[in-house]
Amino acid sequence: MEKAKIKASQMFILVVLFEMGSAILVGLGVQAKQDAWISVLLGLAGGLILFLIYYRLFKYYPDIPLTSYVQKITGKWIGRPLGLLYIVYFIYCATRVLRDFGELLTTTIYTSTPLIVINSLMILTIIYGIHKGFEVIARVGELYFSVIYFMAFVGIILIFVSGLIHIEYLQPVFEYGWRPVVNTFLKQTITFPFGEMVVFTMLLPFLNDSKKVKIACMGGMILAGINVAITAAINVATLGPELFSRSNFPLLTTIGKIQLANFIERLDVLFMLYLVIGGFFKISLFFYAAVAGTADLFKFKNHQNLSFPIGFIILCASITIASNYAEHMKEGLEVVPIYLNWPFQIIIPTILLIIAFFRNRKKKTSTS
Amino acid sequence: MMRKFFVISFLMVLLLPIMSGCWNQKELTDLAFVMAMGIDKGEDKKFDVSFQLVNPGNVASGQNGGGQGLPIAVYKSSGNTITEAARNATKMISRRLYYSHTNLIAVSEEVARDGILDMMDALDRDPEFRTTTQIVVARHTSAQDLVSALTNLDKLPVNKITKELKSTEKMLGENIGVNIDDFLAGLVSDGKNPIVNGYIVHGKKEQIGNAQDLQKTIGGAFLEADGLAVFEKGKLIGWFEHQWARGVVYVLDKVQSTGINVSWNGKKHAITMASIRSKTKVSVHFKNGKPLINIAIEDEGWISEANTAVDLTNPQVIDKIDKLVEKEIKRQVLGSIKEAQKMKSDIFGFGERVHRANPKQWKKLKGDWNNHFAELDVNVKVDSFVRREGIRTSPFWINMNK
């Protein structure tokens, strides 16, 4: 494992960037129509509870990542394959985000550039970042955090000043009852983006002050969750529920509507900048978790040697996982949350925690 | 050390071609900026699409004006879909059609009556299109005429139309800017029908697109906004003439400024109040499960004309004028609501209000909303205030009568 140490503030920023990452770009919770923001907030609440599970696990084993402590909890024979599955899961998640990123650029501005070119450029940059190590990624995060917040403020002010907000579009609240909101929460928002905090089980040992883990991560989740919910509400209030649910990238459409004083318009570039930054961190963290996990599981001395091969896998997979955007989205919205996210983010960590609880209690009683 | 240096330099050279960002490059000189599109019914194919392209050399501003030629060129091609027509147009145009600056879609009345659903998705989906593009219906004329017309004050004819819509919305309130998104929002909504501005060509149609026409102060042919087209399920079903159009704009809360004439002591159109701000609130109440619409309009303005002997220094007179203005606005608003009810077309979005106010009741009403709308009870309450009367107190008429 790499000997990196980062500060609590850097961890906080990484959590925020990671959670907002692609969640802000895609129409999160569109199935709940105008109540999307409610299901995002529900997702945040669920995500915080999930994080407490990951945090308890971290408390039992504060110095080692997930791939090591599964072996301690379940033993070598179950733990190792389980760790391997987690690595594959992280690689798959990175792949999905990379595909999202590429699809967005090819549908909006680079309409005739092949997907593989855009994805290769992105993954090359990320491989370079991973090669340099986790500390570097954290520092880059600090740098871009202010850039993102500056853009977000400019964007929100411009949307309000342009008079695009129609609060009445958010009504009626709970038009179709609780069911679609809760359904969206369970199928989507709890796992994406909040449940994806599972990736931090690999990264928490890097924090220099383990007491601050809770405040840094949960604070970051809350901030990111509120931002995502505000974005969802602004999207609905600007576009109306119908156009919101018809848009691939609602935020892009919202920003495209800004027209102020005849010269502040076509601000899509803000969105594109955000997209590149958010995409970078989201892929980087999944990617890094996969690299760190592999290094840990297969006892590599140097994680750097792994960044290129795994990056190459991510690149190739991002092209092959789906033959078109509709397929990609269908998988992302219906298959992945239930068959991948639920087991890896919720079920397995819960079982691990229960086993760890009994094991550690036995240990405690035997030592005392 | 040396080897590492060479490897890195080699990699950098390899990266050069992709880093320059030339993959998708579009040179300015290879682009034809489509400023407006006119869509007519085709003869053999479904659509005839006219592309108004800007001639960049001739609009370049500067103290000496632009170049010599015309600012625009219009090409017409046909196709069964918009994309097909656009691709067919490449047979006539040396440059790549570029839609990011398209500000206007003109649809001929004929196409509008047959339904314009088949062309909307192309405009909604294409990433190059702005959704803020305005949409208008060419009335009594073809869309081709509308996009080929040259204009005096604005070099680019498309600016004339889009700016004119903005200024008339601000100053008169009989037309409102309707962009593709507004139109689509009305189209998909159960409780709202879209409206679109109508445009007509005045004067001699043969003069359209003739540069000599620009040499005269009164053009032989010119464009004017006229009326609001009402759409139902993507088909034009009727027109709101301009006397009723303002009422519509009032209900939609889009009136910023306008002039209201009232009679005084038997003299018609004696006093004009120019309103400077106006606010409309629409609320829904339910009476025995039947929706009841309340419209409250608040209007503020100043007296811009008084063509009769009236003592404007007297607050009681001002109060009386307020009452008259209120009555006049109410008449116009109720009139346009009646018109819409006659057409059974909910262009005000009352259905959406009912939906928001009572989703359960709405489910029952939704299926037959057009008929419910036609029988809807609407209350209009206007509060109008004259705040000041310009730089004179009473008009000169008072002194004349002495």
Side-chain angles (χ1 to χ4, degrees):
Chain A
M1 205 176 135
E2 198 191 353
K3 294 241 175 333
K5 281 290 171 209
I6 64 167
K7 288 184 294 194
S9 63
Q10 289 174 322
M11 182 62 93
F12 171 81
I13 285 168
L14 281 180
V15 173
V16 175
L17 290 174
F18 174 80
E19 289 288 279
M20 293 201 314
S22 50
I24 275 189
L25 307 175
V26 297
L28 192 62
V30 280
Q31 294 84 350
K33 294 242 166 166
Q34 64 265 44
D35 298 331
W37 62 280
I38 301 177
S39 60
V40 171
L41 287 182
L42 276 178
L44 171 61
L48 288 175
I49 296 169
L50 281 183
F51 181 74
L52 285 177
I53 297 176
Y54 310 148
Y55 178 69
R56 293 303 320 169
L57 283 169
F58 166 75
K59 283 291 248 188
Y60 286 130
Y61 307 98
D63 303 319
I64 50 175
L66 175 82
T67 41
S68 293
Y69 65 64
V70 282
Q71 294 177 47
K72 291 211 173 164
I73 294 172
T74 57
K76 220 174 184 179
W77 292 106
I78 305 177
R80 287 204 150 194
L82 203 57
L84 185 66
L85 281 179
Y86 262 103
I87 292 164
V88 175
Y89 173 67
F90 292 143
I91 292 177
Y92 181 69
C93 286
T95 305
R96 288 201 62 84
V97 183
L98 184 63
R99 177 66 178 249
D100 280 338
F101 167 85
E103 284 287 353
L104 219 160
L105 286 180
T106 43
T107 40
T108 52
I109 42 174
Y110 300 110
T111 42
S112 45
T113 312
L115 191 62
I116 190 159
V117 175
I118 290 172
N119 284 3
S120 318
L121 287 177
M122 185 69 170
I123 203 76
L124 276 178
T125 322
I126 295 170
I127 289 174
Y128 179 70
I130 303 279
H131 198 81
K132 286 287 170 193
F134 189 60
E135 282 180 6
V136 172
I137 295 174
R139 279 202 294 269
V140 176
E142 278 183 303
L143 204 63
Y144 279 112
F145 187 68
S146 47
V147 176
I148 281 191
Y149 261 81
F150 174 72
M151 289 194 301
F153 271 114
V154 170
I156 285 183
I157 287 169
L158 286 176
I159 288 170
F160 272 96
V161 174
S162 306
L164 293 171
I165 302 281
H166 303 277
I167 293 292
E168 68 268 18
Y169 285 158
L170 291 169
Q171 291 168 322
V173 182
F174 295 126
E175 181 182 2
Y176 309 99
W178 279 92
R179 198 171 282 246
V181 178
V182 173
N183 215 354
T184 318
F185 155 67
L186 290 176
K187 267 177 79 175
Q188 201 186 57
T189 51
I190 189 173
T191 60
F192 172 77
F194 301 105
E196 288 179 336
M197 281 301 284
V198 72
V199 87
F200 277 81
T201 52
M202 301 294 300
L203 307 174
L204 290 179
F206 290 128
L207 192 65
N208 59 6
D209 184 358
S210 64
K211 279 181 207 130
K212 287 188 180 154
V213 162
K214 208 167 167 181
I215 184 130
C217 289
M218 292 180 87
M221 285 175 79
I222 291 171
L223 182 64
I226 289 173
N227 286 344
V228 176
I230 290 175
T231 312
I234 286 182
N235 281 337
V236 175
T238 310
L239 305 174
E242 279 92 11
L243 184 54
F244 174 62
S245 54
R246 208 168 65 235
S247 302
N248 272 341
F249 313 108
L251 187 62
L252 179 70
T253 317
T254 304
I255 290 178
K257 285 204 149 214
I258 296 177
Q259 247 187 336
L260 201 68
N262 282 327
F263 73 96
I264 301 180
E265 45 188 59
R266 291 252 113 178
L267 294 174
D268 307 11
V269 62
L270 281 185
F271 179 83
M272 298 301 163
L273 267 176
Y274 175 78
L275 164 71
V276 175
I277 297 171
F280 176 83
F281 284 101
K282 193 133 193 183
I283 303 167
S284 289
L285 290 188
F286 276 126
F287 189 175
Y288 188 80
V291 168
T294 317
D296 179 58
L297 203 62
F298 298 101
K299 309 261 184 311
F300 275 77
K301 279 203 188 79
N302 191 350
H303 83 283
Q304 289 180 333
N305 298 337
L306 285 165
S307 57
F308 194 78
I310 292 183
F312 193 68
I313 293 172
I314 292 176
L315 175 64
C316 295
S318 77
I319 308 296
T320 49
I321 48 170
S323 55
N324 53 45
Y325 188 63
E327 190 183 324
H328 178 65
M329 285 318 275
K330 186 97 176 164
E331 283 169 6
L333 292 175
E334 285 173 22
V335 182
V336 173
I338 293 169
Y339 297 103
L340 283 178
N341 288 349
W342 266 83
F344 281 108
Q345 294 175 0
I346 302 171
I347 299 169
I348 297 176
T350 314
I351 297 171
L352 286 180
L353 181 64
I354 295 168
I355 302 172
F357 175 74
F358 285 111
R359 285 208 164 199
N360 286 284
R361 197 176 60 170
K362 221 186 288 166
K363 221 184 273 170
K364 254 181 211 162
T365 44
S366 62
T367 47
S368 57
Chain B
M1 191 59 208
M2 213 44 196
R3 199 171 145 247
K4 201 175 175 188
F5 173 77
F6 278 118
V7 167
I8 288 176
S9 324
F10 180 65
L11 275 177
M12 282 174 130
V13 171
L14 272 187
L15 281 174
L16 263 180
I18 34 177
M19 289 310 200
S20 58
C22 290
W23 194 288
N24 247 8
Q25 101 271 35
K26 296 166 189 160
E27 293 295 334
L28 208 56
T29 47
D30 294 335
L31 294 179
F33 291 94
V34 178
M35 299 308 287
M37 277 165 71
I39 298 165
D40 288 300
K41 199 169 180 174
E43 277 159 25
D44 355 306
K45 301 263 175 86
K46 199 164 175 182
F47 299 116
D48 270 355
V49 184
S50 312
F51 298 90
Q52 186 191 95
L53 308 178
V54 68
N55 198 344
N58 296 335
V59 280
S61 56
Q63 289 193 328
N64 303 324
Q68 293 298 309
L70 290 170
I72 54 161
V74 176
Y75 289 90
K76 186 168 153 186
S77 76
S78 54
N80 288 320
T81 62
I82 299 294
T83 313
E84 189 188 330
R87 298 288 154 134
N88 282 340
T90 56
K91 288 196 276 194
M92 301 170 240
I93 302 164
S94 55
R95 303 173 173 203
R96 180 190 179 283
L97 292 176
Y98 189 64
Y99 299 97
S100 279
H101 294 267
T102 308
N103 285 331
L104 183 78
I105 305 290
V107 185
S108 76
E109 194 170 348
E110 198 185 0
V111 171
R113 292 226 180 248
D114 288 349
I116 60 171
L117 295 181
D118 288 343
M119 47 167 271
M120 291 314 292
D121 193 57
L123 312 176
D124 190 29
R125 188 177 298 278
D126 193 308
E128 252 175 38
F129 261 105
R130 297 186 196 208
T131 43
T132 47
T133 307
Q134 296 278 319
I135 177 164
V136 299
V137 174
R139 214 178 163 184
H140 310 308
T141 178
S142 67
Q144 188 192 4
D145 284 349
L146 202 68
V147 297
S148 329
L150 291 168
T151 49
N152 268 331
L153 282 177
D154 301 280
K155 275 230 168 87
L156 285 174
V158 68
N159 280 353
K160 174 203 156 72
I161 295 181
T162 51
K163 279 187 180 170
E164 183 176 275
L165 281 175
K166 245 182 223 162
S167 75
T168 186
E169 177 181 336
K170 263 195 189 137
M171 303 297 293
L172 184 67
E174 286 181 5
N175 288 86
I176 47 169
V178 178
N179 58 39
I180 295 177
D181 270 2
D182 298 335
F183 183 78
L184 280 172
L187 204 62
V188 296
S189 165
D190 298 318
K192 190 179 184 179
N193 282 355
I195 43 175
V196 174
N197 293 294
Y199 253 84
I200 53 172
V201 178
H202 272 304
K204 302 184 193 107
K205 285 197 182 135
E206 331 53 276
Q207 292 288 332
I208 287 172
N210 188 344
Q212 264 144 25
D213 207 29
L214 291 180
Q215 302 298 321
K216 295 184 279 183
T217 49
I218 302 175
F222 61 94
L223 306 172
E224 189 193 334
D226 186 46
L228 293 171
V230 180
F231 280 78
E232 166 88 44
K233 298 204 171 66
K235 286 184 180 159
L236 197 162
I237 55 164
W239 287 92
F240 262 75
E241 299 306 338
H242 63 92
Q243 70 264 35
W244 298 124
R246 194 187 300 165
V248 177
V249 182
Y250 258 116
V251 180
L252 293 174
D253 193 17
K254 289 278 170 78
V255 171
Q256 289 183 8
S257 175
T258 182
I260 304 280
N261 297 346
V262 295
S263 318
W264 189 259
N265 283 345
K267 187 179 176 187
K268 272 193 169 175
H269 313 303
I271 297 172
T272 302
M273 189 193 85
S275 51
I276 46 173
R277 56 185 80 87
S278 164
K279 181 97 199 126
T280 308
K281 278 190 184 133
V282 180
S283 55
V284 182
H285 294 268
F286 286 88
K287 223 167 140 189
N288 310 328
K290 257 190 85 178
L292 172 81
I293 309 284
N294 284 326
I295 299 173
I297 299 174
E298 227 175 88
D299 199 54
E300 256 183 81
W302 59 293
I303 305 248
S304 65
E305 264 184 64
N307 300 319
T308 181
V310 52
D311 180 15
L312 291 178
T313 54
N314 184 352
Q316 278 164 340
V317 172
I318 300 286
D319 265 2
K320 215 172 150 195
I321 296 173
D322 285 347
K323 292 274 147 12
L324 288 171
V325 172
E326 281 165 17
K327 229 170 108 188
E328 174 61 19
I329 295 177
K330 191 171 172 177
R331 186 187 68 81
Q332 293 189 5
V333 170
L334 279 175
S336 31
I337 292 172
K338 281 247 167 60
E339 277 294 299
Q341 287 184 325
K342 244 186 258 165
M343 282 188 211
K344 295 196 175 179
S345 191
D346 182 8
I347 54 176
F348 309 106
F350 289 157
E352 284 188 351
R353 306 261 176 189
V354 174
H355 181 187
R356 278 178 210 129
N358 193 339
K360 271 186 197 150
Q361 195 65 26
W362 171 245
K363 265 187 197 145
K364 288 181 208 155
L365 298 171
K366 183 162 88 170
D368 197 22
W369 176 245
N370 283 345
N371 286 324
H372 285 291
F373 171 75
E375 288 151 19
L376 207 58
D377 287 327
V378 182
N379 290 330
V380 179
K381 190 171 160 283
V382 185
D383 283 313
S384 180
F385 304 98
V386 170
R387 296 292 188 202
R388 48 196 69 86
E389 15 338 276
I391 56 168
R392 295 288 175 265
T393 51
S394 292
F396 65 88
W397 295 74
I398 294 258
N399 306 34
M400 271 171 71
N401 286 1
K402 263 179 189 167

